[in-house]
Amino acid sequence: MDLVLKVLVGDAKVCQAFLEVLHMIESPAVLFHPSIVVKAIGQLVTVRQKAELI
């Protein structure tokens, strides 16, 4: 969930999906759509790469 929150700051589609789940318009399963999961995993890779540089 933390990764989704980090991604939604810079991605309007992820933000829209999150807000729809938050307001109970859509099912939480929406956040497990492959396009959102790939972006969240990409965020995880980016965070780990930055940590390795330190």
Side-chain angles (χ1 to χ4, degrees):
M1 196 61 194
D2 291 338
L3 297 173
V4 172
L5 292 174
K6 288 180 181 180
V7 171
L8 72 84
V9 173
D11 191 305
K13 289 185 180 185
V14 176
C15 184
Q16 181 68 33
F18 178 77
L19 290 174
E20 289 174 356
V21 170
L22 183 68
H23 293 288
M24 298 179 157
I25 298 169
E26 290 288 342
S27 163
V30 169
L31 298 176
F32 293 100
H33 188 274
S35 65
I36 294 176
V37 171
V38 166
K39 290 175 185 177
I41 291 172
Q43 180 68 30
L44 178 63
V45 170
T46 302
V47 168
R48 286 196 177 177
Q49 286 175 346
K50 287 180 182 178
E52 289 175 0
L53 293 175
I54 295 177

